[in-house]
Amino acid sequence: MTEKLYYEDGYLKSIEAEVIGVKKNGIILDKTIFYPEGGGQPGDTGYFGKYEITDTIKDDDGTPLHIIKGDLPSVGDKAVLTLSWNHRYQYMTEHSAQHLVSALLHSIYDIGTVAVHQGDGFFTIETDASSIDKEKLLDIEDKANEAIREGHGIEQKSLSREEALNLHMRRTIKVDDDTVLVVFIEGLDAVACGGVHLRNTSEIKEIVYIGYEIIRGHVRTIWRAGDAAVSYRRMNDDIVSSLSVLLSSERENIVANAEALSKEKADLSHSVKVLSEKIAELEYKMVGNSDGVITINSSVPVSSFESVIPESDKRLIIVVDSSSRFLFHGDKEKFESLRSSIPSIKGGGRGNMYRGSVGMDGETFLREAERVLINDR
């Protein structure tokens, strides 16, 4: 039986431990400070002496199994077990922040939590709501940061099942054990949870609302907490500062100026498209009534020819542009013959219009295409 010291003191960073079991890819210790993956919180990483622990999971009976990279130690081996503390602390922070946000969603807006997940620098809360106004989520962000500044104590207690049920917590108890671990945020929340948490909301530092997505008909909200939230805020500030310089704009005018530039770009793109099609039309007309294989090494994108070459034109026409993109106007049999003879051709189409890339410079491609198609006549 492994002694789970992370429940006694979640801030222990290293202890001496002994191997009492060896599995295919991991070890079981007589005691551990490594939390196994569960409840949306990733497993801990670190070292057992010289052995690197890449993950901690629950064995079939729930015992923490420490996944080892490479060779395994033997039963009876003793060494210092050392946590990757920054990794652990960030997830403790996210877990505590998730409890706080879920508690506020429930108490203020009667929005329940269905599922949670902790990622690399962010955490998500899947709610039971099908829609949530952004203003409400920003209000939760404000209330959460207010609770951080107030410094509410966070405590985990082992209660009898009856005691836990009498608390009428916001979430049902997920385990069938006679004793239940309950996490309390002083004055704000009580919920059954077997994770590892901070001692006080003040340690969370900051919570930032990132956005949401719809999953299974529910709103899943996305958040950052702790150092990840601070980094996110500073990164956004750097982005805004850079955009302000690039656009020669005051911060409050950045969006309006960006929208104006976007419209200008769209107008220019439309003008370029119109001009490109006029050039394509001129280049198409310049071939006159030529027979045989007609090739055009164009100064504009081949897409400009799609509306220029009429379907009624029964000639075989090949256009290539400076990006080595091609347009083939002709019957499918001829195109397949060309593609089988020049392996660098990538693309396809239907009817009498085929498009793709040629994998060589335009002039070389056109010479090869003429040779293949003339010999194929």
Side-chain angles (χ1 to χ4, degrees), residues 15-30:
I15 59 166
E16 185 175 62
E18 179 181 346
V19 179
I20 60 173
V22 177
K23 293 295 183 83
K24 182 178 180 181
N25 60 344
I27 57 173
I28 296 172
L29 302 171
D30 64 333

Side-chain angles (χ1 to χ4, degrees), residues 285-315:
K285 287 180 177 179
M286 285 175 64
V287 302
N289 296 319
S290 303
D291 292 325
V293 179
I294 298 171
T295 60
I296 302 173
N297 194 347
S298 181
S299 58
V300 297
V302 293
S303 58
S304 304
F305 285 80
E306 292 181 8
S307 61
V308 168
I309 302 175
E311 190 173 345
S312 59
D313 192 330
K314 301 302 181 184
R315 296 175 298 175

Side-chain angles (χ1 to χ4, degrees), residues 72-301:
L72 299 173
S74 302
V75 172
D77 285 356
K78 296 181 180 180
V80 175
L81 184 64
T82 306
L83 270 175
S84 296
W85 178 245
N86 290 340
H87 175 272
R88 154 68 82 78
Y89 192 76
Q90 177 59 36
Y91 285 119
M92 286 171 65
T93 301
E94 288 183 8
H95 202 148
S96 303
Q98 175 266 306
H99 278 287
L100 178 56
V101 172
S102 289
L104 293 170
L105 282 167
H106 183 263
S107 63
I108 297 174
Y109 294 112
D110 195 28
I111 295 173
T113 293
V114 174
V116 298
H117 172 74
Q118 292 173 247
D120 185 11
F122 71 96
F123 65 94
T124 65
I125 299 173
E126 181 184 341
T127 71
D128 59 6
S130 59
S131 64
I132 307 175
D133 292 339
K134 182 180 179 181
E135 290 73 17
K136 290 182 178 180
L137 294 169
L138 292 177
D139 180 48
I140 294 298
E141 179 189 272
D142 289 340
K143 295 293 195 305
N145 285 300
E146 182 179 334
I148 289 171
R149 292 189 295 271
E150 291 170 348
H152 296 256
I154 303 175
E155 185 179 10
Q156 190 172 50
K157 296 180 181 180
S158 180
L159 304 179
S160 70
R161 189 172 192 85
E162 183 179 358
E163 289 174 317
L165 288 170
N166 286 336
L167 291 172
H168 302 292
M169 295 177 287
R170 58 181 170 83
R171 290 191 71 183
T172 57
I173 299 171
K174 303 293 185 182
V175 296
D176 297 325
D177 302 339
D178 293 333
T179 58
V180 178
L181 287 170
V182 178
V183 176
F184 295 85
I185 300 180
E186 182 185 11
L188 294 175
D189 192 37
V191 68
C193 180
V196 188
H197 309 82
L198 302 175
R199 292 172 178 156
N200 195 286
T201 59
S202 62
E203 292 184 65
I204 299 173
K205 288 185 180 179
E206 187 175 338
I207 291 177
V208 177
Y209 167 67
I210 302 301
Y212 77 92
E213 57 191 358
I214 302 296
I215 179 169
R216 294 182 286 270
H218 297 151
V219 175
R220 179 159 67 184
T221 58
I222 308 169
W223 310 80
R224 289 181 185 259
D227 290 339
V230 175
S231 296
Y232 182 78
R233 173 171 50 79
R234 290 175 178 172
M235 177 190 71
N236 283 339
D237 186 68
D238 288 341
I239 291 172
V240 172
S241 295
S242 298
L243 286 173
S244 180
V245 172
L246 285 171
L247 298 175
S248 299
S249 172
E250 297 295 329
R251 287 183 169 222
E252 59 269 24
N253 297 325
I254 285 176
V255 173
N257 288 344
E259 288 175 344
L261 283 174
S262 179
K263 183 179 184 306
E264 183 180 339
K265 178 180 178 294
D267 291 342
L268 286 172
S269 295
H270 177 71
S271 297
V272 168
K273 182 176 183 294
V274 171
L275 289 172
S276 294
E277 289 176 352
K278 288 185 178 298
I279 293 172
E281 187 176 1
L282 288 172
E283 291 180 344
Y284 169 69
K285 287 180 177 179
M286 285 175 64
V287 302
N289 296 319
S290 303
D291 292 325
V293 179
I294 298 171
T295 60
I296 302 173
N297 194 347
S298 181
S299 58
V300 297

